[in-house]
Structure formats: structure tokens, C-alpha cells
Amino acid sequence: MLETVPGGDSSLFSDYYTSRFFARQGRYEPEIPGLPYYTLHWMQDNLTVSGKSGYIIIPYEQFRKGGLLYGKSAGFDPENNQPYLPTEENIRYITLQLSSKDKIYSNEGIDLYRFMH
């Protein structure tokens, strides 16, 4: 993924679990020179994203095994949110919301989509 998404001013949208790998919410510059940095946003439970362009990371394997934690408002408190479970309805919703033509990377763990509004 680091080779696919340019660092610097790229916006990433994902769930709570995935966002942990990017350390902090919001834009930050790394302490290690040469390590890419991103502007991180937690997605809402309706899969909407703010901004004009960016990348959506869906950890599909995690979703299928136990669900994802998305926010329900501008803030995010993982202790008070219910997981986005892999029900038939939620699987259908993800499929309808994210177009396969926008998928730019996939492996056994994640699907990565680029969006532009």
C-alpha cells in the first residue's frame, strides 16, 4: 500500500482497527525522515467520506471475520460504538458504495479504493 498511495498530503479513510497502523488522527509528519505520512480520517458507519479526493481502506478479511469499528459522529470513541458486522445487508451496502473500477490495490487483507468527488 505504501507504494500505491503517495505520502504527504494524501487523505486516508478507514475503520478504527486499520487507523491504528497510521499512529495518529489528522495530519502529522513522521519523526523518521523518509517515512510517508498521511491525513487520517475515520469513516462513518454509512461509509461516507469527506473531502474531494483520497483513499478508502477496507480491511475486508477483518470485516468478514468479525466486523469493523466505524464512527457514528465526527468524533470516535471505540468503547461506545458497535462493530459494523458482516451481515448480508452490510456486505451488499459495501458492494454498492464502493465501485470495483475505483479499486486500485487488493491483497488477502485489504482492498484499497481511490475516490474523487
Side-chain angles (χ1 to χ4, degrees), residues 77-109:
D77 180 2
E79 302 298 320
N80 294 319
N81 282 294
Q82 296 297 315
Y84 191 78
L85 298 174
T87 64
E88 285 184 38
E89 179 182 353
N90 288 345
I91 291 169
R92 214 172 311 116
Y93 189 72
I94 284 179
T95 303
L96 291 172
Q97 289 295 94
L98 301 172
S99 172
S100 61
K101 69 180 175 66
D102 296 327
K103 187 185 291 187
I104 60 170
Y105 178 83
S106 186
N107 67 22
E108 64 277 351

Side-chain angles (χ1 to χ4, degrees), residues 19-75:
S19 69
R20 296 179 301 171
F21 294 105
F22 296 97
R24 301 179 195 143
Q25 184 181 19
R27 183 174 185 259
Y28 71 97
E29 296 198 27
E31 296 175 7
I32 303 170
L35 186 67
Y37 64 93
Y38 304 95
T39 302
L40 176 65
H41 306 274
W42 286 307
M43 290 181 62
Q44 303 304 303
D45 58 359
N46 61 2
L47 301 181
T48 58
V49 294
S50 60
K52 294 185 179 186
S53 66
Y55 300 86
I56 298 172
I57 304 168
I58 301 291
Y60 202 74
E61 187 66 23
Q62 171 67 37
F63 172 61
R64 285 191 11 218
K65 287 183 177 180
L68 304 173
L69 283 180
Y70 287 130
K72 292 185 184 273
S73 63

